[in-house]
Amino acid sequence: MLSRSALSLALTASLTLGAAGANAADLVIAGRDGIYGQALDATVARYKEAHPDMDIELLKLPYGSLYEKLVISLREKSGAYDLVLLDDTWATEFMSNGWLANLEEQGKITGDFIAATLDISRYPVAQGPAYSLPVVGNVAMFAYNQALFDQYGLSKPANWDAVKVAAKTISAKNPDTSGVVFRGQKGNPIVTGFLPLFWAHGGVIVDDAGKPQVNSAQGVQALESFLELKQYAPKGIEVYNSTEVRDAIQQRKTAIAIEVWPSWAPSMDDPSQSKVVQEMQVIAAPGQVNGSSPMLGIWQMGVTADAKHDKNARDFLNYLTSAENQKTLALELGLPPTRRSVYTDKDVVAKYRWYPNQLEALEHGKARPRIKQWNEVESILGDYLQLAMIGQMDARTALDQANRKIDRALKR
Amino acid sequence: MLFRSRLQLLLLMSPATLLLAMLTLYPISQILINAFSYVDYVGAERQFVGMDNFVELSEDWFFAGAIKNSLSFSVLASLLQVGLGLALAVLFDRQFAGRRFALPVIIYPMMLSTLVCSAIWRAWYHYDFGFLNNALLSLGLEPVQWLFDPDMALFSVMLVDIWQWTPMAFLIILAGLQSIPADIKDAALTDGARGWRRFRHITLPLIMPQVLLALLLRSIDTFKLFDKVYALTGGGPGNSTETLSLFIYKQGFKFFNLGLASAAALLMLAIACALSAVYAWRYVGAKS
């Protein structure tokens, strides 16, 4: 049997070791899985070459899980993470709750970040200090198959009406190829596909006074156009997500994709995966009443307000977003940069022929509303968009009901 | 007697009772309080709102749909699983060639994780390339919109659940069948009871407790349906496969509307209790 002193010693030792274990890392980063995780892994490896003694813990989590963990941890002020990767739609919630450190308290942010991407790192948006830095320059692009357009005498679509004409022409003349493809799965996918069209038609989700306006005449017109496009989409579009959209493009089963993300684009020109090498034109989405309104999907990284290693976190963040690191990540992994100089770098443009168009799309990019409840608003809108798509409601009824529910959610 | 006194028994049971109370009574009491409150998750503030959360739920078209989907799924899936399980158990209660090899094959789906099952079936359900539609086409039939026809999607999810969990009902009922004493079977044969009559009047009443137990367990489990829907359809198309669990998950963990999520959870608990009570009452009735 252990003596009392031996037991005390063992307890003290285990507590000390436990505490040491809990605080072992010099920097704890909460990030995403997939390509973002690979990019963070690569950056951590390079950063550690210059800081060999630093112990960096990197968590790579799926989208939903990352959000849940961050909200719970930051709300509890647990100090578990020093650096956190954020989708831009979470930014307002995180910044307004005081969960992120002001990055400009020690001086202005410098560098050639594209203005639209840095604007949404600020709180209030575009005006206040930056609470994060843009890491991934995601923007929804539009793609069409130039070879098929040439075959049927169509030119680059100038607006969404022209998109409908092109989709109708190709699907009528070529039964094996759908005119258009998009993500129809409910929730974030269908909303993301719809927003560039909605904004281009003059739709507004929440007005300046904070009132929802999705059921305006422009909104209804946009949804009717979207539903019209469905006629030229493949069967089962209601459950299409990124994999199905990519497959349809790469297998030459569609002529137009109304939503293409920068991470999908490189595989279109990869002959081992694609039958449309050099055929797809990747451009900013067309306009209609308004000009082109591509949707921004910027991933940002912020230092938490309760960070235990604030200095290390700021230093790593500066390295992660440096032009040099962004160029390497773009060339190695195709991670879209957020700095103008990387988009105009000759090595990068040689590898990604659509980067000048992507830069243009980022400059005209539109962010989703800066409201705390965006997650819920998006889910509501996604539910009703899909009810309209499967024919259970007409466009007007769906948007009226969505507007009523969004109004309730915003008042909560 | 195992314990010297009632006090000793109570003392020995108290740590487990305390732990159980902490892990069940505390969360339930929190849900009860939250269900009648508006909870600001970030500010950790709570404001009593009376029946507001329940009123909001009663006006919510998606919540009504979720109740309907959960109930239909639970009743239909558990009945089908137990019915099929009973048929299989009767078959496997006899000796036949290959029985030893067929048994593991039947039990196999139950050993897979739900996410793996869902991934397999998602591939099988693919409209253009799925094995099921290819099989239908080879038979000269039309392909089916398994997951994107709102009238079909819930049944498609149900088919996956039946594939995965019928073996559980089968094993419970087979255990019941094999526990019937041989002399009862012999006596029935001597009295001339054969085939359907022997099954209907002798076997079925004797295995009724196992059948009801299988129904109880499967209906409780199917009523909580979450993972298959999450992986296969995300609740869509429209709200055709949205279940109560998915609704509560979205309100609670995606939107952090804790008051609304708690009110919905409370209603779900009440429905689950009512559903279980029907079976439990029948089970007790059958035993007595």
Side-chain angles (χ1 to χ4, degrees):
Chain A
M1 193 178 179
L2 277 173
S3 69
R4 182 173 291 188
S5 56
L7 194 65
S8 313
L9 189 67
L11 267 174
T12 313
S14 65
L15 282 174
T16 313
L17 283 172
N23 294 309
D26 301 309
L27 183 61
V28 183
I29 306 166
R32 274 289 309 275
D33 53 359
I35 189 175
Y36 305 132
Q38 291 171 36
L40 286 170
D41 258 338
T43 307
V44 166
R46 275 194 295 276
Y47 186 75
K48 281 186 78 171
E49 284 171 14
H51 303 82
D53 297 331
M54 190 178 271
D55 182 13
I56 302 176
E57 189 180 335
L58 170 64
L59 284 93
K60 291 179 282 186
L61 301 163
Y63 184 91
S65 177
L66 175 65
Y67 175 72
E68 287 158 21
K69 277 187 196 301
L70 292 187
V71 169
I72 292 167
S73 167
L74 294 172
R75 183 252 190 192
E76 300 295 336
K77 297 186 171 52
S78 69
Y81 312 115
D82 299 309
L83 273 171
V84 290
L85 192 66
L86 314 171
D87 190 356
D88 77 54
T89 56
W90 310 344
T92 309
E93 180 183 5
F94 282 46
M95 291 168 187
S96 65
N97 288 332
W99 292 344
L100 299 179
N102 177 350
L103 298 180
E104 289 189 309
E105 64 201 351
Q106 295 160 16
K108 288 278 171 203
I109 301 290
T110 54
D112 58 343
F113 287 108
I114 298 159
T117 70
L118 191 59
D119 279 353
I120 52 180
S121 285
R122 300 183 179 281
Y123 183 76
V125 65
Q127 292 163 8
Y131 286 86
S132 66
L133 288 182
V135 174
V136 184
N138 261 343
V139 59
M141 304 289 287
F142 176 96
Y144 66 95
N145 189 310
Q146 184 71 61
L148 284 169
F149 268 54
D150 290 345
Q151 190 180 337
Y152 297 109
L154 298 161
S155 50
K156 176 184 167 182
N159 54 35
W160 285 99
D161 287 338
V163 174
K164 283 188 276 186
V165 171
K168 186 178 179 180
T169 307
I170 293 174
S171 61
K173 292 185 175 172
N174 195 341
D176 293 333
T177 306
S178 70
V180 66
V181 72
F182 49 85
R183 293 194 294 164
Q185 199 175 77
K186 78 177 206 162
N188 168 277
I190 195 168
V191 175
T192 306
F194 177 60
L195 281 181
L197 199 145
F198 177 76
W199 285 328
H201 280 76
V204 174
I205 295 174
V206 179
D207 66 16
D208 293 341
K211 288 283 290 174
Q213 300 289 352
V214 295
N215 60 342
S216 63
Q218 295 90 329
V220 174
Q221 203 177 4
L223 182 52
E224 281 167 352
S225 282
F226 193 51
L227 297 178
E228 207 178 316
L229 281 177
K230 191 207 161 188
Q231 297 173 54
Y232 318 120
K235 218 164 190 166
I237 195 78
E238 297 87 345
V239 289
Y240 266 44
N241 206 339
S242 39
T243 310
E244 288 80 11
V245 170
R246 263 184 297 184
D247 283 350
I249 299 169
Q250 289 171 6
Q251 299 307 309
R252 217 170 190 261
K253 286 193 170 295
T254 194
I256 299 168
I258 68 172
E259 178 204 2
V260 170
W261 288 91
S263 61
W264 309 355
S267 60
M268 292 179 198
D269 283 351
D270 176 355
S272 67
Q273 301 180 53
S274 173
K275 293 180 182 168
V276 290
V277 175
Q278 300 288 325
E279 283 185 14
M280 299 303 292
Q281 292 296 338
V282 183
I283 58 170
Q288 185 72 21
V289 180
N290 291 338
S292 172
S293 313
M295 193 192 102
L296 292 175
I298 307 299
W299 280 85
Q300 313 169 5
M301 188 166 261
V303 177
T304 59
D306 56 11
K308 287 180 181 155
H309 311 97
D310 182 86
K311 190 172 170 296
N312 292 347
R314 287 170 193 252
D315 193 53
F316 181 86
L317 182 56
N318 286 332
Y319 178 76
L320 174 69
T321 53
S322 65
E324 180 196 1
N325 189 53
Q326 288 205 357
K327 180 179 172 182
T328 311
L329 291 177
L331 290 172
E332 284 178 356
L333 296 164
L335 196 77
T338 52
R339 286 178 180 264
R340 170 180 285 278
S341 58
V342 187
Y343 278 100
T344 50
D345 183 282
K346 63 177 174 39
D347 298 334
V348 179
V349 177
K351 186 158 186 181
Y352 306 116
R353 59 186 168 86
W354 58 89
Y355 261 29
N357 293 342
Q358 197 165 308
L359 176 60
E360 188 195 335
L362 278 167
E363 281 170 337
H364 296 109
K366 199 166 161 67
R368 285 160 283 183
R370 313 322 278 172
I371 48 174
K372 280 187 187 182
Q373 303 92 332
W374 173 251
N375 257 349
E376 190 170 359
V377 170
E378 182 185 68
S379 176
I380 295 167
L381 187 57
D383 285 343
Y384 285 97
L385 287 179
Q386 213 189 40
L387 285 172
M389 185 153 286
I390 62 176
Q392 289 194 356
M393 283 180 189
D394 60 67
R396 163 59 66 191
T397 312
L399 290 182
D400 278 348
Q401 292 200 15
N403 207 67
R404 213 166 17 247
K405 212 166 163 188
I406 291 171
D407 190 36
R408 193 168 211 164
L410 292 177
K411 283 178 183 155
R412 198 176 286 128
Chain B
M1 194 178 167
L2 191 59
F3 301 103
R4 282 187 212 140
S5 67
R6 185 177 287 266
L7 183 67
Q8 191 187 22
L9 176 68
L10 287 175
L11 272 175
L12 287 168
M13 280 176 60
S14 56
T17 313
L18 196 68
L19 195 68
L20 198 67
M22 276 168 59
L23 295 175
T24 56
L25 295 182
Y26 176 72
I28 290 175
S29 67
Q30 285 296 302
I31 285 177
L32 261 172
I33 298 167
N34 286 349
F36 297 95
S37 315
Y38 164 73
V39 187
D40 175 7
Y41 181 72
V42 175
E45 286 164 9
R46 188 182 278 128
Q47 183 192 339
F48 180 75
V49 293
M51 296 297 287
D52 280 9
N53 290 327
F54 293 95
V55 171
E56 187 169 343
L57 286 176
S58 71
E59 292 167 355
D60 193 319
W61 192 71
F62 282 83
F63 183 67
I67 292 182
K68 184 175 146 270
N69 290 338
S70 290
L71 278 174
S72 342
F73 188 92
S74 178
V75 172
L76 263 176
S78 53
L79 282 174
L80 284 168
Q81 286 170 25
V82 172
L84 280 169
L86 176 63
L88 282 170
V90 170
L91 181 71
F92 276 80
D93 192 35
R94 301 155 183 223
Q95 291 300 327
F96 60 87
R99 182 178 180 272
R100 284 175 63 185
F101 301 102
L103 197 70
V105 174
I106 290 198
I107 298 169
Y108 171 70
M110 199 171 76
M111 296 174 188
L112 294 174
S113 92
T114 304
L115 287 179
V116 173
C117 284
S118 305
I120 293 170
W121 278 81
R122 198 177 159 83
W124 286 356
Y125 278 147
H126 195 287
Y127 186 81
D128 293 316
F129 313 113
F131 141 75
L132 292 174
N133 276 354
N134 280 336
L136 290 174
L137 283 170
S138 65
L139 294 171
L141 299 169
E142 284 291 305
V144 174
Q145 302 175 17
W146 298 99
L147 293 176
F148 54 88
D149 176 351
D151 297 326
M152 188 73 207
L154 194 67
F155 293 102
S156 302
V157 179
M158 199 181 291
L159 200 57
V160 184
D161 203 65
I162 290 170
W163 181 77
Q164 190 184 13
W165 290 113
T166 294
M168 186 187 176
F170 157 67
L171 286 178
I172 294 171
I173 298 169
L174 184 65
L177 277 173
Q178 299 200 331
S179 68
I180 297 175
D183 52 354
I184 294 184
K185 293 178 183 171
D186 294 341
L189 279 172
T190 311
D191 290 343
R194 286 175 191 283
W196 170 248
R197 279 187 64 205
R198 187 174 71 151
F199 177 75
R200 169 77 181 82
H201 296 290
I202 310 283
T203 311
L204 195 57
L206 286 172
I207 58 164
M208 195 45 87
Q210 283 79 16
V211 172
L212 288 172
L213 179 69
L215 261 179
L216 176 67
L217 293 177
R218 289 313 307 144
S219 55
I220 290 173
D221 196 43
T222 47
F223 189 66
K224 297 184 302 191
L225 179 73
F226 175 82
D227 37 16
K228 284 190 187 74
V229 168
Y230 189 80
L232 282 167
T233 61
N239 69 330
S240 59
T241 58
E242 182 150 312
T243 59
L244 275 169
S245 301
L246 196 65
F247 181 90
I248 293 166
Y249 163 76
K250 275 163 64 178
Q251 291 299 333
F253 294 100
K254 268 185 88 177
F255 314 144
F256 292 96
N257 289 333
L258 297 191
L260 212 59
S262 299
L266 208 60
L267 290 172
M268 184 177 171
L269 181 70
I271 298 170
C273 285
L275 206 64
S276 308
V278 175
Y279 292 123
W281 176 74
R282 286 288 303 153
Y283 178 62
V284 172
K287 275 193 92 172
S288 60

